[in-house]
Amino acid sequence: MSLNVEFGSDNHSGVHPDIMKAIIDANKGYSIAYGEDELTKSAVKKVREVFGSDIDVFFVYNGTAANIIGLKTVTNSFNSIICADTAHLNVHECCGPEKFTGCKIVTIPTKDGKLTPELIKPYLVGIDDVHMAQPKVISITQSTELGTTYAFDELKKLCSFAHKNNLLVHVDGARICNAAVFLKKDLGKITKDVGVDILSFGGTKNGMMYGEAVVFFDKKLTKDFEFYRKQGMQLTSKMRFISAQFNAFFENNLWEKNAGHANKMAQYLKNELCKIPQIKIVQKVEANMVFAYIPKKHLEKVREKFYFHVFNENACEARLMCSFDTKKESIDELINTIRDTIKK
Amino acid sequence: MSLNVEFGSDNHSGVHPDIMKAIIDANKGYSIAYGEDELTKSAVKKVREVFGSDIDVFFVYNGTAANIIGLKTVTNSFNSIICADTAHLNVHECCGPEKFTGCKIVTIPTKDGKLTPELIKPYLVGIDDVHMAQPKVISITQSTELGTTYAFDELKKLCSFAHKNNLLVHVDGARICNAAVFLKKDLGKITKDVGVDILSFGGTKNGMMYGEAVVFFDKKLTKDFEFYRKQGMQLTSKMRFISAQFNAFFENNLWEKNAGHANKMAQYLKNELCKIPQIKIVQKVEANMVFAYIPKKHLEKVREKFYFHVFNENACEARLMCSFDTKKESIDELINTIRDTIKK
Amino acid sequence: MSLNVEFGSDNHSGVHPDIMKAIIDANKGYSIAYGEDELTKSAVKKVREVFGSDIDVFFVYNGTAANIIGLKTVTNSFNSIICADTAHLNVHECCGPEKFTGCKIVTIPTKDGKLTPELIKPYLVGIDDVHMAQPKVISITQSTELGTTYAFDELKKLCSFAHKNNLLVHVDGARICNAAVFLKKDLGKITKDVGVDILSFGGTKNGMMYGEAVVFFDKKLTKDFEFYRKQGMQLTSKMRFISAQFNAFFENNLWEKNAGHANKMAQYLKNELCKIPQIKIVQKVEANMVFAYIPKKHLEKVREKFYFHVFNENACEARLMCSFDTKKESIDELINTIRDTIKK
Amino acid sequence: MSLNVEFGSDNHSGVHPDIMKAIIDANKGYSIAYGEDELTKSAVKKVREVFGSDIDVFFVYNGTAANIIGLKTVTNSFNSIICADTAHLNVHECCGPEKFTGCKIVTIPTKDGKLTPELIKPYLVGIDDVHMAQPKVISITQSTELGTTYAFDELKKLCSFAHKNNLLVHVDGARICNAAVFLKKDLGKITKDVGVDILSFGGTKNGMMYGEAVVFFDKKLTKDFEFYRKQGMQLTSKMRFISAQFNAFFENNLWEKNAGHANKMAQYLKNELCKIPQIKIVQKVEANMVFAYIPKKHLEKVREKFYFHVFNENACEARLMCSFDTKKESIDELINTIRDTIKK
């Protein structure tokens, strides 16, 4: 049996058939490049139907770019960006944010990947002191890199706190759909309505091939984005093929179905894991990932058959990801493998 | 009749059916993300079959990125990069090269988009003078932004000149396939064999959906590329979908067929245009584009029906692009439109 | 006889005695660092007496920094800065402007180091085209790197042209005092009154030890300067010692006396050179430098005794600089050396 | 009585008379600019007498620049630099390090401003993982921003740990002289001999007007420094005036006398403060600064007469700095003021 990589990442899945169909359908005739095509207009319209007509939306290739170009658009190089120390933009973007924005990334330790006003307050120092980086943006991840989700009220409080302190709120929404499904809220409800200023809206991890969107809820912030996107190597020529994906993504609420399936599978996986006494769930399961403590000797055995990340090697915390096409049977197989391993 | 955008850019075409088929076929099961999948291994192997086993190749999203990340990998921020003033990296990358590399882009005026040792020599000043940017790379475009092509001997002379002056040679090969077909040479013959050090190898303009490759002919130069690619927001998660395209690109010499068709159409277009006395071909047609002078009053009329760039508005030089799927009938239609316009 | 380096640069001179006295006098007691001291307040006041109370002025260490930090303050990284190809910021700042601003430096060839609207016009392309660097600033040098000076009307025309095209005007005024003296105009007359937006105001080349000023004529542009100055490593702790120099610089019009002497010596040098038939003055002498053609064989001999730059080695153009303390006797000695060399 | 700013910073003092004399003496005749003068040669020689002939040394304007240009020379933009969260380069350089190097600044909380291998170990993650910033340098401050000093053995252990992990060690030595005096060791003993790779060698805070040195103990690291210094706006034209200061600094061990006096005054201040029961010394006094808890109501009163920083406003920790010319009488005055305040 070859290594099963299904739980390694939601990026390990391929493309949802509806998305693929949209790509195939988009491959007709000639279109003006760089976004002046009909499919892009239609995709922008669809995003506006979700978030309101008073927003701006742009497409880029990937989530790292959505974060970095979005943040560059609203910062100067002497600013700081505040995030949880687990944030993708801190840990997994190879100091791309620092290089492209020049900003300091101020990192705050958290237990569950979630920032609060209380946690942030001590870091708001040196305002107007030219020696010190000037705080400009709070960047949160929704749902977080630890599989937890900010509740509606938490978001509202955080945004209100930010704005009172002249800070903007950016949401790394690589998995915003999973959060919306978990919270049973519309996408606009947990972003625009709570006061979020910029959203990296994820598609790839939820069934798309490539392509993410940057949504600006305050159009006054948008002005320079398109120049930074081009300068940041993120303007795709045949944009219709990203736009087609977003069109399908919003057609019949595909985004919701995909995220819903992933979340459901994560719950199932969690529940099955809970039945094994040696396993301990170490983070709330509020999206599509499960963090589970597996005793070291068993962990190593399981990894011989299943490929997944161990978030904290010393603590033996496995990160098990579900996606839009995670199979229940695969979960059962994983569970059985764990049980067998422990039995031996 | 709606605006015909076919000749506006080789980016206005969609995706070749064989490429699309490869994408569809790639959509099976789960693969490790970020390039550790089988399709990527196979694509790298295919590129090595073309250029030799002693090269390194990496995939990025687009040509701007191939240029910038490739150049960053071999420069320090105090270096200069020498190119023709018409170079894509100078004109159409929104100072992305300056921002990401820090380097000075030294631009040299040319008649036909082609650099020569004689043209470059006067710019090689200030070596070891700390006040001055230190020349490090000569970047040429093959085929050029003006549709011309460097001949084998010209390339050899240029590379030899570069190396004698401790400079590297980078080729922006967004249309390297068109050049290879025109020159009737293998891809390796006009790059590795003449002494090129780094190649941006273009796929998108020649029938792919997205994806370009950066080829290093000297593996000692490669070391930092993968970090800069990630930092530069160019590491795609579901890489198999770029790799699948490159696999198809090299299968049955699709790259050659596509470029061959585009070049052939450009020749046909040129020949038809030559039959119209009022039109003047202003650059040699050695790839897939035709630069044609069209008298101002006619130009405006033609543009009401056909969308294309006018390279030099004052000089009324139309840039007419052909691609892998340019239709002979469309050319006839364009020619008829021009004839009709002039007749009136 | 050791090598005479007097004509090599106006930087080869030391510090004017009045400046040195001010430095010594500043060395009393304790002052708050970073500019919150009395001497700095007084220096700012003095600069405002010269340019008007509605300007902002900041001190930095050197001219390269005055240019770069000033330009950064008014640009985004996707902008371009237009200058003569001889501009210090293009030739002699080791791509510091590119690295710190991200901008493209667009260089225009000139005969005399001076830009005109006619020369600039062809470069104002691609406005609002996201693929292209967006022109933002015209940077001129006054007096120029070739020793020529923009006349009042030329400045007015250029600034008016710039503003009509939504461009700002930056003046690299490393030798603005020499220009003012030559033009017999007040400093404000040839900067603020003609519409200049930002001035790098030079002190070091005109008798100071270190220290330059950045003057913003539109206070709305100033906002971010102090953060960029600190981030750009240009905020001096013991600022009183720069400020003291500027205080002395404006006391009894020392700036004017110094520049006046330098200009006078340049005229004397020019006149003496004109008497030698083999020598040819190749640029108008309108400030403190003389560009003179000296036949190759003589040039080499003269350089054995006198150290100076040869601006264009092939053309044998010597750059001979005068400063606030150039001695008439040294000029006579240089002239004699040239005469002797030619005689032999 | 006006506000006494003497204890606000060691930058609030002026210039030591011997340094000033050297500056005055340097003001004779003409010298080649940018470091090719005799005084610079002599200063380099003097630094080599201290650290050994196999080192490289360069002068820059200030300490922020010494840190940033030094670090840039040995890093790529995808690296990380590890430091204490109190480090000047993290807190007080306005994200200049991020902007100029592109690197991530990884900050580690400490109790006393000092890093240890144990503290660093958990941060050495993601080696060779392209998603993550690659650790390259450990930067420590000696003596620290909290007035503490790394002992010889601590330095040795840290350097050995760094090198075993392929990391370089950079010392921000803005107050390295104070540390050397406290440790009763030669400057080379606590830098070169323990394995430090790069040293920002401070002058300004110890009696100079402006000017710091960057010392490379491994000449192989030096290659690009001079280009980055120029590009980083830190190459001074009239360098003789910085070099003259360093010449005086090493003449008759002025550096040692100055630092010795500052340290002695800090001890005296500490001892006097200890006699006041309400005051608590909160950091070891091992250099020229004293961190003292002063109860809030008294603190505010004292600040009406004395200007100093309160390092942690909530914790009421006053930072009291001594310098080469701190007067014992001033300390007595401060102590009396505190006593009077408390009495009332």
Side-chain angles (χ1 to χ4, degrees):
Chain A
M1 175 192 149
S2 72
L3 194 68
N4 181 326
V5 304
E6 192 169 349
F7 301 100
S9 167
D10 31 13
N11 277 323
H12 289 187
S13 295
V15 180
H16 189 278
D18 293 1
I19 302 278
M20 189 59 94
K21 190 178 172 305
I23 287 176
I24 295 166
D25 291 348
N27 196 26
K28 277 173 194 141
Y30 308 91
S31 298
I32 297 187
Y34 301 113
E36 295 183 55
D37 61 277
E38 292 308 313
L39 285 169
T40 301
K41 276 176 205 153
S42 149
V44 169
K45 208 174 140 223
K46 280 211 165 67
V47 178
R48 288 201 167 126
E49 280 162 20
V50 172
F51 292 110
S53 60
D54 53 346
I55 61 102
D56 275 324
V57 60
F58 305 97
F59 303 124
V60 295
Y61 287 113
N62 62 14
T64 294
N67 288 341
I68 294 177
I69 312 279
L71 288 166
K72 174 70 193 166
T73 305
V74 300
T75 54
N76 287 309
S77 60
F78 52 77
N79 285 130
S80 67
I81 296 160
I82 296 167
C83 64
D85 63 0
T86 45
H88 192 271
L89 82 85
N90 180 46
V91 182
H92 283 113
E93 300 184 357
C94 199
C95 39
E98 281 90 343
K99 175 155 179 51
F100 198 74
T101 70
C103 295
K104 177 173 287 301
I105 309 302
V106 173
T107 59
I108 302 181
T110 74
K111 284 187 176 170
D112 53 6
K114 288 162 63 178
L115 291 177
T116 64
E118 290 66 38
L119 286 171
I120 295 168
K121 242 177 242 168
Y123 292 85
L124 299 185
V125 291
I127 311 301
D128 292 335
D129 177 344
V130 296
H131 296 265
M132 298 176 78
Q134 298 297 298
K136 185 69 188 283
V137 185
I138 298 171
S139 177
I140 64 172
T141 312
Q142 170 80 316
S143 58
T144 75
E145 291 80 2
L146 299 182
T148 56
T149 295
Y150 287 87
F152 181 79
D153 284 348
E154 291 172 331
L155 291 169
K156 251 185 123 165
K157 221 176 281 178
L158 198 67
C159 291
S160 155
F161 168 78
H163 296 152
K164 261 177 215 151
N165 286 281
N166 294 314
L167 299 169
L168 298 172
V169 176
H170 166 256
V171 172
D172 178 345
R175 297 185 184 94
I176 187 80
C177 295
N178 303 91
V181 166
F182 174 78
L183 296 170
K184 298 194 176 100
K185 304 269 191 215
D186 289 342
L187 288 166
K189 196 85 188 163
I190 58 169
T191 52
K192 191 187 182 188
D193 291 4
V194 293
V196 168
D197 298 286
I198 315 160
L199 169 66
S200 296
F201 184 75
T204 313
K205 287 179 160 73
N206 197 22
M208 281 174 50
M209 188 186 291
Y210 66 109
E212 312 272 309
V214 182
V215 183
F216 288 87
F217 296 107
D218 177 353
K219 291 178 88 160
K220 282 196 299 294
L221 298 174
T222 313
K223 194 167 64 80
D224 299 333
F225 181 87
E226 290 186 85
F227 290 107
Y228 285 126
R229 176 173 63 176
K230 173 61 200 180
Q231 184 172 45
M233 315 171 234
Q234 287 292 323
L235 181 58
T236 185
S237 53
K238 298 181 177 177
M239 197 183 283
R240 53 170 143 166
F241 293 104
I242 291 185
S243 304
Q245 296 180 67
F246 272 105
N247 278 317
F249 203 61
F250 289 111
E251 201 70 45
N252 306 315
N253 291 328
L254 178 63
W255 67 267
E256 199 173 357
K257 286 179 208 158
N258 282 358
H261 178 80
N263 284 9
K264 207 174 115 188
M265 287 299 101
Q267 289 299 331
Y268 178 69
L269 172 55
K270 180 196 76 171
N271 291 336
E272 292 304 302
L273 286 169
C274 281
K275 296 174 187 164
I276 308 173
Q278 291 84 349
I279 305 292
K280 208 184 134 192
I281 304 299
V282 294
Q283 290 286 349
K284 283 183 190 169
V285 179
E286 301 181 334
N288 63 325
M289 52 183 121
V290 179
F291 283 83
Y293 163 78
I294 305 177
K296 196 173 183 66
K297 55 182 175 180
H298 307 318
L299 183 61
E300 277 159 16
K301 280 286 172 199
V302 176
R303 286 172 100 177
E304 287 169 12
K305 294 193 177 160
F306 288 86
Y307 173 105
F308 51 81
H309 291 279
V310 176
F311 192 75
N312 185 334
E313 289 280 353
N314 292 328
C316 297
E317 294 179 11
R319 188 192 74 160
L320 301 163
M321 306 289 296
C322 297
S323 83
F324 76 94
D325 74 343
T326 297
K327 312 278 183 297
K328 193 169 162 301
E329 297 73 41
S330 306
I331 295 177
D332 292 337
E333 202 181 301
L334 171 63
I335 294 292
N336 289 337
T337 300
I338 297 174
R339 286 193 184 279
D340 289 355
T341 303
I342 290 175
K343 235 179 277 175
K344 278 174 200 165
Chain B
M1 176 192 149
S2 72
L3 195 67
N4 182 324
V5 304
E6 193 170 348
F7 301 99
S9 167
D10 31 12
N11 277 325
H12 289 188
S13 296
V15 180
H16 188 278
D18 292 1
I19 302 279
M20 189 60 94
K21 190 177 172 305
I23 288 175
I24 296 166
D25 291 347
N27 196 25
K28 277 173 194 138
Y30 307 92
S31 298
I32 298 187
Y34 302 112
E36 294 184 54
D37 61 278
E38 292 308 313
L39 285 169
T40 301
K41 276 176 205 154
S42 150
V44 168
K45 208 176 141 221
K46 280 213 164 66
V47 178
R48 287 202 168 125
E49 280 163 21
V50 172
F51 292 110
S53 60
D54 54 345
I55 60 101
D56 275 326
V57 59
F58 304 98
F59 303 124
V60 294
Y61 287 114
N62 62 14
T64 294
N67 287 341
I68 293 176
I69 312 280
L71 288 167
K72 175 69 192 167
T73 304
V74 299
T75 53
N76 287 310
S77 60
F78 53 77
N79 285 131
S80 67
I81 296 161
I82 296 167
C83 64
D85 63 0
T86 44
H88 192 271
L89 83 84
N90 179 47
V91 183
H92 284 112
E93 300 184 357
C94 200
C95 39
E98 280 91 343
K99 176 156 179 49
F100 199 74
T101 70
C103 295
K104 177 172 287 300
I105 309 302
V106 173
T107 58
I108 302 182
T110 73
K111 284 187 176 167
D112 53 5
K114 289 162 63 178
L115 290 178
T116 64
E118 290 66 38
L119 285 171
I120 296 168
K121 241 177 244 169
Y123 292 84
L124 299 184
V125 290
I127 311 301
D128 291 335
D129 177 345
V130 296
H131 297 264
M132 297 175 78
Q134 298 297 299
K136 185 69 187 283
V137 185
I138 298 172
S139 177
I140 63 173
T141 313
Q142 170 79 318
S143 59
T144 74
E145 290 81 2
L146 299 184
T148 56
T149 295
Y150 286 86
F152 181 78
D153 284 347
E154 290 171 332
L155 292 168
K156 251 186 122 167
K157 222 176 280 178
L158 198 67
C159 290
S160 154
F161 168 78
H163 297 151
K164 262 178 214 149
N165 286 281
N166 294 315
L167 300 169
L168 298 171
V169 176
H170 166 259
V171 171
D172 177 346
R175 297 185 185 96
I176 187 81
C177 295
N178 302 91
V181 167
F182 174 77
L183 296 170
K184 299 192 175 103
K185 304 268 191 217
D186 288 343
L187 287 166
K189 196 81 186 164
I190 57 169
T191 52
K192 190 187 183 187
D193 292 2
V194 293
V196 167
D197 299 286
I198 315 159
L199 168 67
S200 297
F201 184 74
T204 313
K205 288 180 159 73
N206 196 22
M208 282 174 49
M209 188 186 290
Y210 66 110
E212 312 271 310
V214 182
V215 183
F216 287 87
F217 296 107
D218 177 354
K219 291 177 89 160
K220 284 195 297 295
L221 299 174
T222 313
K223 195 168 63 79
D224 299 333
F225 181 87
E226 290 186 84
F227 291 107
Y228 286 127
R229 177 173 63 176
K230 174 62 200 179
Q231 185 172 44
M233 316 170 233
Q234 287 292 322
L235 181 58
T236 185
S237 54
K238 298 181 177 175
M239 198 183 283
R240 54 170 142 164
F241 294 104
I242 290 184
S243 305
Q245 295 180 66
F246 272 105
N247 279 316
F249 202 62
F250 289 112
E251 202 70 46
N252 306 316
N253 291 328
L254 178 63
W255 67 268
E256 199 173 356
K257 285 179 208 158
N258 282 358
H261 178 80
N263 284 10
K264 207 174 115 189
M265 287 297 101
Q267 289 299 330
Y268 178 69
L269 172 55
K270 180 195 77 172
N271 290 336
E272 291 305 303
L273 285 169
C274 281
K275 295 175 187 164
I276 308 174
Q278 290 85 350
I279 305 292
K280 209 182 134 192
I281 303 301
V282 293
Q283 290 286 350
K284 282 184 190 168
V285 178
E286 301 180 335
N288 64 326
M289 52 183 120
V290 178
F291 283 84
Y293 164 78
I294 304 177
K296 198 173 181 66
K297 56 183 175 178
H298 308 317
L299 183 62
E300 278 160 15
K301 281 284 173 198
V302 176
R303 288 171 99 178
E304 287 170 13
K305 295 192 177 160
F306 287 86
Y307 173 104
F308 51 81
H309 290 280
V310 176
F311 192 74
N312 185 333
E313 289 279 354
N314 291 328
C316 296
E317 294 180 11
R319 190 192 74 162
L320 300 164
M321 306 287 298
C322 297
S323 84
F324 78 93
D325 74 343
T326 297
K327 311 279 184 295
K328 194 169 161 304
E329 297 72 41
S330 306
I331 295 178
D332 292 339
E333 204 182 301
L334 171 63
I335 293 293
N336 288 336
T337 301
I338 296 175
R339 285 192 184 280
D340 289 356
T341 303
I342 289 175
K343 235 179 276 173
K344 277 173 199 164
Chain C
M1 176 190 149
S2 73
L3 195 67
N4 181 326
V5 305
E6 194 170 347
F7 301 100
S9 166
D10 31 13
N11 277 324
H12 289 188
S13 295
V15 180
H16 188 278
D18 292 2
I19 302 278
M20 188 59 93
K21 190 178 172 305
I23 287 175
I24 296 166
D25 290 348
N27 196 26
K28 278 175 193 138
Y30 308 91
S31 299
I32 299 186
Y34 301 113
E36 295 184 54
D37 60 277
E38 293 308 312
L39 285 170
T40 301
K41 276 176 205 152
S42 151
V44 168
K45 208 175 140 221
K46 280 213 165 66
V47 178
R48 287 201 168 127
E49 280 162 22
V50 171
F51 291 110
S53 60
D54 53 345
I55 61 102
D56 275 326
V57 60
F58 305 98
F59 303 123
V60 296
Y61 287 113
N62 62 14
T64 294
N67 287 340
I68 294 176
I69 312 280
L71 289 166
K72 175 70 194 167
T73 305
V74 299
T75 53
N76 287 309
S77 60
F78 52 75
N79 285 131
S80 67
I81 296 161
I82 296 167
C83 64
D85 62 1
T86 43
H88 191 271
L89 83 83
N90 180 47
V91 182
H92 283 112
E93 301 184 357
C94 198
C95 38
E98 280 91 343
K99 174 153 180 52
F100 198 75
T101 69
C103 295
K104 177 173 287 300
I105 310 301
V106 173
T107 59
I108 301 182
T110 73
K111 285 188 176 166
D112 53 5
K114 289 162 63 179
L115 291 176
T116 64
E118 290 67 38
L119 286 171
I120 296 168
K121 241 176 242 166
Y123 293 84
L124 298 185
V125 291
I127 310 302
D128 291 336
D129 177 344
V130 296
H131 296 265
M132 298 175 79
Q134 299 295 299
K136 185 68 187 286
V137 185
I138 297 172
S139 178
I140 63 173
T141 313
Q142 170 80 316
S143 58
T144 74
E145 291 80 2
L146 299 184
T148 57
T149 295
Y150 287 85
F152 181 79
D153 284 347
E154 291 172 332
L155 292 169
K156 252 186 120 167
K157 223 177 279 178
L158 198 67
C159 291
S160 155
F161 168 78
H163 297 151
K164 262 178 213 148
N165 286 282
N166 294 314
L167 299 169
L168 299 172
V169 176
H170 166 258
V171 172
D172 178 344
R175 296 186 185 95
I176 186 80
C177 296
N178 302 91
V181 166
F182 174 77
L183 296 170
K184 299 195 176 99
K185 304 265 192 217
D186 288 344
L187 287 165
K189 196 83 187 165
I190 58 169
T191 52
K192 190 187 183 186
D193 291 3
V194 293
V196 167
D197 298 287
I198 316 159
L199 168 67
S200 297
F201 184 74
T204 313
K205 288 180 160 72
N206 197 22
M208 282 175 49
M209 188 186 289
Y210 66 110
E212 312 270 310
V214 182
V215 183
F216 288 86
F217 296 107
D218 177 353
K219 291 177 88 160
K220 284 196 297 295
L221 298 174
T222 313
K223 195 167 63 79
D224 299 333
F225 181 87
E226 290 185 84
F227 291 107
Y228 286 126
R229 177 173 62 176
K230 174 62 200 179
Q231 185 172 44
M233 315 170 234
Q234 287 292 322
L235 181 59
T236 185
S237 54
K238 298 181 178 177
M239 197 182 284
R240 54 170 143 166
F241 294 103
I242 291 185
S243 304
Q245 296 180 66
F246 273 104
N247 279 317
F249 202 60
F250 289 111
E251 200 71 45
N252 305 316
N253 291 327
L254 179 62
W255 66 268
E256 199 173 356
K257 285 177 210 160
N258 281 358
H261 178 79
N263 284 10
K264 207 174 113 189
M265 287 298 102
Q267 289 299 331
Y268 178 70
L269 172 55
K270 180 194 78 171
N271 291 336
E272 291 304 304
L273 286 169
C274 282
K275 295 176 188 166
I276 308 173
Q278 290 84 349
I279 305 293
K280 210 184 135 190
I281 303 301
V282 295
Q283 290 285 350
K284 283 184 190 167
V285 178
E286 301 180 333
N288 64 325
M289 52 183 121
V290 179
F291 283 84
Y293 163 78
I294 304 177
K296 198 176 182 67
K297 55 182 174 178
H298 307 316
L299 183 62
E300 277 159 17
K301 280 286 171 195
V302 176
R303 288 172 100 177
E304 285 169 13
K305 295 192 178 161
F306 287 86
Y307 173 104
F308 50 82
H309 292 281
V310 175
F311 192 76
N312 185 333
E313 289 279 354
N314 291 328
C316 297
E317 294 180 11
R319 189 191 74 161
L320 301 164
M321 306 287 298
C322 296
S323 84
F324 78 93
D325 74 342
T326 297
K327 311 280 183 296
K328 193 169 162 299
E329 297 73 42
S330 306
I331 296 178
D332 292 338
E333 203 180 301
L334 170 63
I335 294 291
N336 287 338
T337 301
I338 297 175
R339 286 191 184 279
D340 288 356
T341 304
I342 290 176
K343 236 178 276 176
K344 277 174 200 165
Chain D
M1 176 191 148
S2 72
L3 195 67
N4 181 326
V5 304
E6 193 169 347
F7 301 99
S9 167
D10 31 14
N11 277 324
H12 289 187
S13 296
V15 180
H16 189 278
D18 293 1
I19 301 278
M20 189 59 94
K21 191 178 171 305
I23 288 175
I24 296 165
D25 291 348
N27 196 26
K28 277 175 194 139
Y30 309 91
S31 298
I32 298 187
Y34 301 112
E36 294 183 55
D37 60 279
E38 293 308 312
L39 285 169
T40 301
K41 276 175 205 154
S42 150
V44 168
K45 209 175 140 221
K46 279 212 165 67
V47 178
R48 287 201 167 126
E49 280 163 21
V50 171
F51 292 110
S53 60
D54 53 344
I55 60 104
D56 276 324
V57 60
F58 304 98
F59 303 123
V60 295
Y61 288 112
N62 63 14
T64 294
N67 288 340
I68 293 176
I69 312 279
L71 289 166
K72 174 71 194 167
T73 304
V74 301
T75 53
N76 287 309
S77 60
F78 52 76
N79 286 130
S80 67
I81 296 161
I82 296 168
C83 63
D85 63 1
T86 45
H88 192 270
L89 82 84
N90 180 47
V91 182
H92 284 112
E93 300 184 357
C94 198
C95 38
E98 282 90 342
K99 175 155 180 49
F100 199 74
T101 69
C103 295
K104 177 173 287 301
I105 309 301
V106 173
T107 60
I108 302 182
T110 73
K111 284 186 177 168
D112 53 5
K114 288 162 62 179
L115 291 177
T116 64
E118 290 66 38
L119 286 171
I120 296 169
K121 241 177 244 168
Y123 293 84
L124 298 185
V125 291
I127 310 301
D128 293 335
D129 177 345
V130 296
H131 296 266
M132 297 175 79
Q134 299 297 298
K136 184 68 188 285
V137 185
I138 298 172
S139 177
I140 63 172
T141 313
Q142 171 79 317
S143 59
T144 75
E145 291 80 2
L146 300 183
T148 57
T149 295
Y150 287 86
F152 181 79
D153 285 347
E154 291 171 331
L155 292 169
K156 252 186 119 165
K157 222 176 279 178
L158 198 68
C159 291
S160 154
F161 168 78
H163 296 152
K164 261 177 214 150
N165 286 281
N166 295 314
L167 300 169
L168 298 172
V169 176
H170 166 258
V171 172
D172 178 345
R175 297 186 185 94
I176 187 81
C177 295
N178 303 90
V181 167
F182 174 77
L183 296 169
K184 297 192 177 102
K185 304 267 191 218
D186 288 341
L187 287 166
K189 196 83 187 164
I190 58 169
T191 52
K192 191 187 183 186
D193 291 3
V194 293
V196 167
D197 299 286
I198 315 160
L199 169 65
S200 297
F201 184 74
T204 313
K205 288 180 160 72
N206 197 22
M208 282 175 48
M209 188 186 290
Y210 66 109
E212 312 271 310
V214 182
V215 183
F216 288 87
F217 296 107
D218 178 353
K219 291 177 90 160
K220 283 196 297 294
L221 298 174
T222 314
K223 195 168 64 78
D224 299 332
F225 181 86
E226 291 186 84
F227 290 107
Y228 286 126
R229 176 174 62 176
K230 174 62 199 178
Q231 184 172 45
M233 315 170 234
Q234 287 292 322
L235 181 58
T236 185
S237 53
K238 298 181 179 176
M239 197 182 283
R240 54 170 143 165
F241 293 103
I242 290 185
S243 304
Q245 296 180 66
F246 271 105
N247 279 317
F249 203 61
F250 289 111
E251 201 71 44
N252 304 316
N253 290 328
L254 178 63
W255 67 267
E256 200 173 356
K257 286 178 210 161
N258 282 357
H261 178 80
N263 284 10
K264 208 173 113 188
M265 288 297 102
Q267 289 299 331
Y268 178 69
L269 172 55
K270 180 195 75 173
N271 291 336
E272 292 304 303
L273 286 169
C274 281
K275 296 175 187 165
I276 307 173
Q278 291 84 349
I279 306 292
K280 209 183 136 192
I281 304 299
V282 294
Q283 290 287 349
K284 282 184 191 168
V285 178
E286 302 180 333
N288 63 324
M289 53 182 121
V290 178
F291 283 83
Y293 163 78
I294 305 177
K296 197 175 183 66
K297 56 181 174 178
H298 306 317
L299 184 61
E300 277 159 16
K301 280 284 173 198
V302 175
R303 288 172 100 178
E304 287 170 12
K305 294 192 178 161
F306 287 85
Y307 172 104
F308 50 81
H309 291 280
V310 176
F311 192 76
N312 185 333
E313 288 279 353
N314 291 328
C316 297
E317 293 180 12
R319 189 192 73 160
L320 301 164
M321 306 288 297
C322 297
S323 83
F324 78 94
D325 75 342
T326 297
K327 311 279 183 296
K328 192 169 163 300
E329 298 73 40
S330 307
I331 295 178
D332 292 338
E333 204 181 300
L334 170 63
I335 294 292
N336 288 338
T337 300
I338 297 175
R339 287 192 184 278
D340 289 355
T341 303
I342 290 175
K343 236 179 276 177
K344 278 173 200 167

